[in-house]
């Protein structure tokens, strides 16, 4: 049977720099052939197939009445854009797929057709981390979320043997960038610079068994979900989407967040023995939950499939 055709509209950033939406929508390839297009290519007069809008919506879509399924996937890191009366005049013809508790809460009192789901990687696609050696910690300093003094304190408290520090920052105004000082670290410092591909990055991830989620709020958080699927213990901010996936002390650790920063003076007490109780629980959770979490909402001439498979033995 020929697969239906689906157009996914994504930003230039998600087309050329970040593979996030392509990774997420790859779960639909059993159901449809996906054609990725820039937002500038969207024309409501000529659009003639099911469509997905990733993160943003075109400005001229509010009165559009398509004859086929149209879905929007908003991201949690844009949740402030959807406050107040944003939903009052929202196009009722558009389905909304939320991938975080923030966006689920934002849409729960609307009359929209809304689907709520979480995204998990398949752990079988990742090299399991090694817990037979000393602890290795990876921190990607995307937003300066972890203060330098806290990073030093964690390495010392956990007796971390190696700190893998990636300093590739987000392309936004950035005032908290820093490079750790080896003389102040009890651990060997490995700077990760000039990684040119996701494969390069994952090769470093395989060497770590503790991972600090890099941002205070995530759209989905694929980087820490990759770490969980690899069997790392993830330390993250107590904020979506990290606390959508992590239960403190059970399958990871959550730290209190204030003004976008986790500081040493605000940390919860984290010890070596606490970390050692947690290995691979995140991976077990990912194994239990990994599935096609996106709805197969591709309409054919005969049926509409919109079932969520949110667990699989």
């Amino acid at each position: 049977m020929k697969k239906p055709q689906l157009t996914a509209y994504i930003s230039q950033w998600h087309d050329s720099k970040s593979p996030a939406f392509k990774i997420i929508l790859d779960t639909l390839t059993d159901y449809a052939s996906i054609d990725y297009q820039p937002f500038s290519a969207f024309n409501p007069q000529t659009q003639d197939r099911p469509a997905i809008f990733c993160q943003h919506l075109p400005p001229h879509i509010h009165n559009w009445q398509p004859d086929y399924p149209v879905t929007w996937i908003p991201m949690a890191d844009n949740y402030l854009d959807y406050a107040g009366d944003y939903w009052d005049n929202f196009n009722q013809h558009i389905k909304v797929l939320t991938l975080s508790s923030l966006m689920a809460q934002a849409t729960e009192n609307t009359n929209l057709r809304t689907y709520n789901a979480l995204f998990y990687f398949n752990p079988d696609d990742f090299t399991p981390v090694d817990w037979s050696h000393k602890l290795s910690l990876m921190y990607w300093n995307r937003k300066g979320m972890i203060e330098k003094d806290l990073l030093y304190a964690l390495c010392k408290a956990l007796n971390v043997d190696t700190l893998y520090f990636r300093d590739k920052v987000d392309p936004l105004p950035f005032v908290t960038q820093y490079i750790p000082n080896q003389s102040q670290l009890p651990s060997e410092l490995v700077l990760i610079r000039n990684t040119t591909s996701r494969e390069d990055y994952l090769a470093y991830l395989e060497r770590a068994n503790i991972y600090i989620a890099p941002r205070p709020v995530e759209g989905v958080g694929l980087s820490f979900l990759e770490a969980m699927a690899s069997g790392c213990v993830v330390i993250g901010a107590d904020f979506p989407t990290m606390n959508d996936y992590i239960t403190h002390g059970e399958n990871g650790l959550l730290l209190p967040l204030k003004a976008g920063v986790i500081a040493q003076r605000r940390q919860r007490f984290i010890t070596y023995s606490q970390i050692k109780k947690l290995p691979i629980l995140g991976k077990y959770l990912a194994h239990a939950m990994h599935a096609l979490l996106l709805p197969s909402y591709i309409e054919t001439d005969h049926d509409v499939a919109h079932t969520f498979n949110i667990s699989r033995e």
Side-chain angles (χ1 to χ4, degrees):
M1 178 178 177
K2 185 178 180 180
K3 294 180 181 179
Q5 298 292 308
L6 168 69
T7 303
Y9 292 96
I10 59 177
S11 67
Q12 182 178 357
W13 168 257
H14 284 113
D15 185 42
S16 61
K17 300 294 185 181
S18 168
F21 276 107
K22 292 182 179 179
I23 291 172
I24 292 171
L25 294 181
D26 184 61
T27 60
L28 289 176
T29 55
D30 286 344
Y31 299 96
S33 298
I34 302 176
D35 176 29
Y36 291 96
Q37 293 290 332
F39 282 103
S40 58
F42 172 68
N43 183 339
Q45 304 301 320
T46 59
Q47 179 71 28
D48 59 357
R49 63 175 66 168
I52 297 177
F53 294 101
C54 300
Q55 187 165 9
H56 303 295
L57 284 171
H60 48 287
I61 199 173
H62 295 292
N63 295 318
W64 183 39
Q65 297 185 24
D67 296 324
Y68 38 80
V70 176
T71 300
W72 176 40
I73 309 177
M75 293 286 98
D77 46 353
N78 296 121
Y79 74 100
L80 291 177
D81 297 339
Y82 314 126
D85 60 356
Y86 178 86
W87 303 101
D88 292 351
N89 299 311
F90 192 84
N91 190 328
Q92 297 286 321
H93 293 86
I94 299 176
K95 302 177 185 179
V96 181
L97 172 64
T98 75
L99 295 174
S100 70
S101 59
L102 272 180
M103 295 312 306
Q105 291 167 11
T107 59
E108 67 180 352
N109 293 321
T110 69
N111 293 320
L112 302 174
R113 292 177 294 169
T114 303
Y115 302 90
N116 305 319
L118 294 178
F119 177 87
Y120 287 87
F121 285 101
N122 185 351
D124 293 337
D125 295 335
F126 295 83
T127 301
V129 300
D130 184 1
W131 284 92
S132 65
H133 55 73
K134 295 182 179 180
L135 298 183
S136 298
L137 184 150
M138 173 181 271
Y139 174 48
W140 177 4
N141 192 38
R142 294 184 65 177
K143 303 284 285 188
M145 186 186 72
I146 296 287
E147 285 189 346
K148 186 190 300 185
D149 288 345
L150 174 56
L151 187 62
Y152 293 158
L154 284 173
C155 289
K156 182 177 181 179
L158 300 175
N159 192 26
V160 167
D161 183 59
T162 305
L163 168 63
Y164 294 98
F165 185 92
R166 188 184 187 196
D167 69 338
K168 183 178 180 181
V169 301
D170 284 356
L172 297 169
F174 195 81
V175 295
T176 53
Q177 183 179 14
Y178 64 84
I179 299 295
N181 189 330
Q182 176 67 81
S183 65
Q184 295 181 266
L185 277 169
S187 317
E188 176 190 2
L189 174 62
V190 176
L191 292 177
I192 304 173
R193 314 185 95 166
N194 301 318
T195 53
T196 58
S197 68
R198 183 167 176 262
E199 288 70 27
D200 290 342
Y201 166 71
L202 291 177
Y204 280 104
L205 179 62
E206 292 173 8
R207 307 178 194 179
N209 42 34
I210 305 172
Y211 186 87
I212 299 177
R215 298 204 296 173
V217 58
E218 290 282 2
V220 176
L222 298 189
S223 61
F224 82 83
L225 292 174
E226 288 171 331
M228 288 180 70
S230 299
C232 288
V233 168
V234 175
I235 301 173
D238 192 2
F239 201 76
T241 59
M242 283 66 66
N243 59 12
D244 291 331
Y245 294 88
I246 298 171
T247 299
H248 183 71
E250 294 185 13
N251 66 321
L253 299 169
L254 295 170
L255 296 174
L257 181 70
K258 184 176 181 180
V261 175
I262 297 174
Q264 183 177 359
R265 62 187 176 276
R266 290 191 291 270
Q267 68 166 305
R268 292 175 179 163
F269 190 58
I270 294 178
T271 65
Y272 177 83
S273 60
Q274 188 179 33
I275 285 283
K276 292 298 284 186
K277 293 178 181 178
L278 297 176
I280 71 176
L281 292 185
K283 181 174 181 176
Y284 286 152
L285 176 64
H287 259 306
M289 294 298 293
H290 173 70
L292 298 178
L293 297 181
L294 299 180
S296 52
Y297 48 76
I298 312 303
E299 286 190 7
T300 68
D301 293 338
H302 305 290
D303 65 278
V304 180
H306 52 79
T307 301
F308 285 99
N309 301 311
I310 59 173
S311 64
R312 182 171 69 186
E313 295 300 327

